[in-house]
Amino acid sequence: MKARKIVDEMDSYVPGKSQDEIAQDFNLNKEDIIKLGSNENPWGPSPKAMEAIKREINSINRYPESQLGELVLQIAEYSGVDDSQVIVGGDGADEIIDVLAKTFIDAGDEFIVPLPSYMYYEYLLMQYGAKPVYARWDLEKNELNVNSIYDAITDKTKMIFLCSPNNPTGTLIDKEVLVDIASKNPEILIVIDEAYFEYSEVTNKDLINDFNNIFIIRTMSKVLGLAGMRIGYGLACPEIIEYMRRIKPVFSLTRLSFAAALNTFKDTEYIEESIKKGIESRQYLYDEISKIDGLYVFPSKSNFMLIDIRDTGFTAGQLALELMKKGVIVRDCTSFKGLDEYWIRISICTLEEDKRFIEILKEVLA
């Protein structure tokens, strides 16, 4: 059986390595592995979420709620928007991107992604016959090259994906830039990915009141500590949300993910503490790595940071392998379009794990 042409031509998305994979490959204890490759919350989920899951476990023989009304209201309150401006999806933010594509993309449409950025946009939209057009981030200035966005726009452009803070650079996009792009291109959907907005303490959610062509993606996989439960949500004008609800799978959230999400938003102390500890960890890692010869680390507004290692004598693949042998997982960024083979990305961990990582990194580089 021959697959569709686009599927036959596509490469698989390359995720970060898991602790189980590394433990098996290098004969290590899973509990001793330091995972800095997937931008997760290292302090675990909210205790209230865990208790809610335990209470709900006996009901998994029943279908989950389809309208998710209580959770939508909770997200609206958390985000400071109206409930008509919220859509919730399973599979993290990835389902939200997929529903966007199914709702608005026709075969032959183009979408713009500045490189390097999160490549799952491309992976999902190409399945529906859309063509990626690449703008760029200026790595020397560590900022979006705005002119490259305008140069990439054609009469076929349907969406522009702007990740802020950007993955993997950790860079924020100025709100004035977003306003300028949206106002000059009212027929193009400007998709702002705010997966890491809590760590940056900056949001553009107020723009959905002024522009009907701005869509904001968010996830519960980062600060909110539910990467394993796969919950994402989007914010936009009611018209966009209504169109997407017609397409979205009815039961995309399980009963357990619904209960975990609802009770995480209610645990404001947990959220505030996760943000605080995450920023502390980020600052510690940035300060310590900046002291190591041969490494150039980008300042970040997220829970990860990008590191140029070309002056160490290692490629990213080589350094990642040596670190994995010692029980440390980092992200080899060779698979990111727009980066060469000399970049790695690390995410926050507990301060104890951060200190162990710095010791191991110095040992490997020496």
PDB file of all heavy atoms in Angstrom, residues 63-78:
ATOM      1  N   TYR A  63     -17.092   7.889  29.403  1.00  0.00           N
ATOM      2  CA  TYR A  63     -16.545   8.889  28.496  1.00  0.00           C
ATOM      3  C   TYR A  63     -16.300  10.203  29.249  1.00  0.00           C
ATOM      4  O   TYR A  63     -17.034  10.535  30.182  1.00  0.00           O
ATOM      5  CB  TYR A  63     -17.511   9.166  27.340  1.00  0.00           C
ATOM      6  CG  TYR A  63     -17.489   8.119  26.264  1.00  0.00           C
ATOM      7  CD1 TYR A  63     -18.554   7.246  26.100  1.00  0.00           C
ATOM      8  CD2 TYR A  63     -16.396   8.010  25.415  1.00  0.00           C
ATOM      9  CE1 TYR A  63     -18.536   6.273  25.106  1.00  0.00           C
ATOM     10  CE2 TYR A  63     -16.375   7.050  24.419  1.00  0.00           C
ATOM     11  CZ  TYR A  63     -17.438   6.181  24.268  1.00  0.00           C
ATOM     12  OH  TYR A  63     -17.409   5.229  23.293  1.00  0.00           O
ATOM     13  N   PRO A  64     -15.284  10.952  28.834  1.00  0.00           N
ATOM     14  CA  PRO A  64     -15.037  12.254  29.478  1.00  0.00           C
ATOM     15  C   PRO A  64     -16.052  13.291  29.030  1.00  0.00           C
ATOM     16  O   PRO A  64     -16.824  13.066  28.081  1.00  0.00           O
ATOM     17  CB  PRO A  64     -13.633  12.623  28.986  1.00  0.00           C
ATOM     18  CG  PRO A  64     -13.501  11.933  27.672  1.00  0.00           C
ATOM     19  CD  PRO A  64     -14.282  10.643  27.800  1.00  0.00           C
ATOM     20  N   GLU A  65     -16.035  14.424  29.695  1.00  0.00           N
ATOM     21  CA  GLU A  65     -16.882  15.550  29.281  1.00  0.00           C
ATOM     22  C   GLU A  65     -16.454  16.013  27.899  1.00  0.00           C
ATOM     23  O   GLU A  65     -15.250  16.085  27.593  1.00  0.00           O
ATOM     24  CB  GLU A  65     -16.745  16.697  30.294  1.00  0.00           C
ATOM     25  CG  GLU A  65     -17.638  17.882  29.984  1.00  0.00           C
ATOM     26  CD  GLU A  65     -17.400  19.061  30.912  1.00  0.00           C
ATOM     27  OE1 GLU A  65     -16.848  18.860  32.000  1.00  0.00           O
ATOM     28  OE2 GLU A  65     -17.783  20.184  30.524  1.00  0.00           O
ATOM     29  N   SER A  66     -17.393  16.324  27.054  1.00  0.00           N
ATOM     30  CA  SER A  66     -17.060  16.736  25.690  1.00  0.00           C
ATOM     31  C   SER A  66     -16.904  18.244  25.550  1.00  0.00           C
ATOM     32  O   SER A  66     -16.043  18.719  24.797  1.00  0.00           O
ATOM     33  CB  SER A  66     -18.131  16.234  24.712  1.00  0.00           C
ATOM     34  OG  SER A  66     -19.393  16.789  25.038  1.00  0.00           O
ATOM     35  N   GLN A  67     -17.708  19.014  26.260  1.00  0.00           N
ATOM     36  CA  GLN A  67     -17.668  20.467  26.106  1.00  0.00           C
ATOM     37  C   GLN A  67     -16.583  21.124  26.959  1.00  0.00           C
ATOM     38  O   GLN A  67     -16.168  22.248  26.688  1.00  0.00           O
ATOM     39  CB  GLN A  67     -19.030  21.074  26.461  1.00  0.00           C
ATOM     40  CG  GLN A  67     -20.156  20.609  25.553  1.00  0.00           C
ATOM     41  CD  GLN A  67     -19.889  20.909  24.098  1.00  0.00           C
ATOM     42  OE1 GLN A  67     -19.510  22.021  23.733  1.00  0.00           O
ATOM     43  NE2 GLN A  67     -20.068  19.898  23.251  1.00  0.00           N
ATOM     44  N   LEU A  68     -16.138  20.447  28.012  1.00  0.00           N
ATOM     45  CA  LEU A  68     -15.043  20.934  28.871  1.00  0.00           C
ATOM     46  C   LEU A  68     -15.355  22.299  29.468  1.00  0.00           C
ATOM     47  O   LEU A  68     -14.443  23.114  29.699  1.00  0.00           O
ATOM     48  CB  LEU A  68     -13.730  21.000  28.080  1.00  0.00           C
ATOM     49  CG  LEU A  68     -13.300  19.716  27.363  1.00  0.00           C
ATOM     50  CD1 LEU A  68     -12.073  19.979  26.504  1.00  0.00           C
ATOM     51  CD2 LEU A  68     -13.005  18.605  28.350  1.00  0.00           C
ATOM     52  N   GLY A  69     -16.633  22.558  29.753  1.00  0.00           N
ATOM     53  CA  GLY A  69     -17.058  23.890  30.169  1.00  0.00           C
ATOM     54  C   GLY A  69     -16.363  24.408  31.406  1.00  0.00           C
ATOM     55  O   GLY A  69     -15.921  25.567  31.453  1.00  0.00           O
ATOM     56  N   GLU A  70     -16.243  23.567  32.436  1.00  0.00           N
ATOM     57  CA  GLU A  70     -15.622  24.019  33.680  1.00  0.00           C
ATOM     58  C   GLU A  70     -14.158  24.359  33.466  1.00  0.00           C
ATOM     59  O   GLU A  70     -13.637  25.353  34.008  1.00  0.00           O
ATOM     60  CB  GLU A  70     -15.775  22.937  34.752  1.00  0.00           C
ATOM     61  CG  GLU A  70     -15.365  23.404  36.143  1.00  0.00           C
ATOM     62  CD  GLU A  70     -15.563  22.339  37.204  1.00  0.00           C
ATOM     63  OE1 GLU A  70     -15.998  21.207  36.862  1.00  0.00           O
ATOM     64  OE2 GLU A  70     -15.266  22.628  38.378  1.00  0.00           O
ATOM     65  N   LEU A  71     -13.475  23.545  32.671  1.00  0.00           N
ATOM     66  CA  LEU A  71     -12.054  23.799  32.398  1.00  0.00           C
ATOM     67  C   LEU A  71     -11.883  25.049  31.541  1.00  0.00           C
ATOM     68  O   LEU A  71     -10.965  25.849  31.769  1.00  0.00           O
ATOM     69  CB  LEU A  71     -11.431  22.589  31.714  1.00  0.00           C
ATOM     70  CG  LEU A  71      -9.942  22.702  31.352  1.00  0.00           C
ATOM     71  CD1 LEU A  71      -9.098  23.032  32.585  1.00  0.00           C
ATOM     72  CD2 LEU A  71      -9.444  21.413  30.691  1.00  0.00           C
ATOM     73  N   VAL A  72     -12.749  25.234  30.566  1.00  0.00           N
ATOM     74  CA  VAL A  72     -12.691  26.444  29.734  1.00  0.00           C
ATOM     75  C   VAL A  72     -12.834  27.694  30.598  1.00  0.00           C
ATOM     76  O   VAL A  72     -12.090  28.677  30.431  1.00  0.00           O
ATOM     77  CB  VAL A  72     -13.792  26.404  28.646  1.00  0.00           C
ATOM     78  CG1 VAL A  72     -13.948  27.772  27.981  1.00  0.00           C
ATOM     79  CG2 VAL A  72     -13.457  25.353  27.595  1.00  0.00           C
ATOM     80  N   LEU A  73     -13.764  27.668  31.535  1.00  0.00           N
ATOM     81  CA  LEU A  73     -13.933  28.805  32.437  1.00  0.00           C
ATOM     82  C   LEU A  73     -12.691  29.040  33.281  1.00  0.00           C
ATOM     83  O   LEU A  73     -12.285  30.193  33.518  1.00  0.00           O
ATOM     84  CB  LEU A  73     -15.150  28.574  33.342  1.00  0.00           C
ATOM     85  CG  LEU A  73     -16.521  28.704  32.681  1.00  0.00           C
ATOM     86  CD1 LEU A  73     -17.612  28.245  33.639  1.00  0.00           C
ATOM     87  CD2 LEU A  73     -16.779  30.140  32.239  1.00  0.00           C
ATOM     88  N   GLN A  74     -12.064  27.955  33.744  1.00  0.00           N
ATOM     89  CA  GLN A  74     -10.859  28.075  34.563  1.00  0.00           C
ATOM     90  C   GLN A  74      -9.709  28.668  33.762  1.00  0.00           C
ATOM     91  O   GLN A  74      -8.966  29.527  34.239  1.00  0.00           O
ATOM     92  CB  GLN A  74     -10.469  26.694  35.100  1.00  0.00           C
ATOM     93  CG  GLN A  74      -9.531  26.724  36.300  1.00  0.00           C
ATOM     94  CD  GLN A  74     -10.233  27.186  37.561  1.00  0.00           C
ATOM     95  OE1 GLN A  74     -11.296  26.705  37.907  1.00  0.00           O
ATOM     96  NE2 GLN A  74      -9.633  28.134  38.253  1.00  0.00           N
ATOM     97  N   ILE A  75      -9.559  28.218  32.519  1.00  0.00           N
ATOM     98  CA  ILE A  75      -8.508  28.748  31.644  1.00  0.00           C
ATOM     99  C   ILE A  75      -8.771  30.217  31.319  1.00  0.00           C
ATOM    100  O   ILE A  75      -7.837  31.036  31.296  1.00  0.00           O
ATOM    101  CB  ILE A  75      -8.415  27.919  30.354  1.00  0.00           C
ATOM    102  CG1 ILE A  75      -7.858  26.520  30.673  1.00  0.00           C
ATOM    103  CG2 ILE A  75      -7.527  28.613  29.317  1.00  0.00           C
ATOM    104  CD1 ILE A  75      -7.897  25.558  29.496  1.00  0.00           C
ATOM    105  N   ALA A  76     -10.029  30.557  31.078  1.00  0.00           N
ATOM    106  CA  ALA A  76     -10.374  31.947  30.783  1.00  0.00           C
ATOM    107  C   ALA A  76     -10.009  32.856  31.951  1.00  0.00           C
ATOM    108  O   ALA A  76      -9.457  33.950  31.763  1.00  0.00           O
ATOM    109  CB  ALA A  76     -11.864  32.064  30.461  1.00  0.00           C
ATOM    110  N   GLU A  77     -10.286  32.395  33.162  1.00  0.00           N
ATOM    111  CA  GLU A  77      -9.943  33.183  34.353  1.00  0.00           C
ATOM    112  C   GLU A  77      -8.430  33.311  34.499  1.00  0.00           C
ATOM    113  O   GLU A  77      -7.907  34.396  34.778  1.00  0.00           O
ATOM    114  CB  GLU A  77     -10.544  32.529  35.601  1.00  0.00           C
ATOM    115  CG  GLU A  77     -10.260  33.303  36.886  1.00  0.00           C
ATOM    116  CD  GLU A  77     -10.874  32.648  38.111  1.00  0.00           C
ATOM    117  OE1 GLU A  77     -11.727  31.754  37.954  1.00  0.00           O
ATOM    118  OE2 GLU A  77     -10.483  33.021  39.230  1.00  0.00           O
ATOM    119  N   TYR A  78      -7.717  32.194  34.302  1.00  0.00           N
ATOM    120  CA  TYR A  78      -6.248  32.194  34.397  1.00  0.00           C
ATOM    121  C   TYR A  78      -5.628  33.135  33.360  1.00  0.00           C
ATOM    122  O   TYR A  78      -4.640  33.822  33.634  1.00  0.00           O
ATOM    123  CB  TYR A  78      -5.744  30.772  34.192  1.00  0.00           C
ATOM    124  CG  TYR A  78      -4.245  30.595  34.194  1.00  0.00           C
ATOM    125  CD1 TYR A  78      -3.520  30.638  35.386  1.00  0.00           C
ATOM    126  CD2 TYR A  78      -3.557  30.351  33.011  1.00  0.00           C
ATOM    127  CE1 TYR A  78      -2.143  30.444  35.393  1.00  0.00           C
ATOM    128  CE2 TYR A  78      -2.178  30.161  33.013  1.00  0.00           C
ATOM    129  CZ  TYR A  78      -1.475  30.211  34.207  1.00  0.00           C
ATOM    130  OH  TYR A  78      -0.109  30.017  34.209  1.00  0.00           O
TER     131      TYR A  78
END
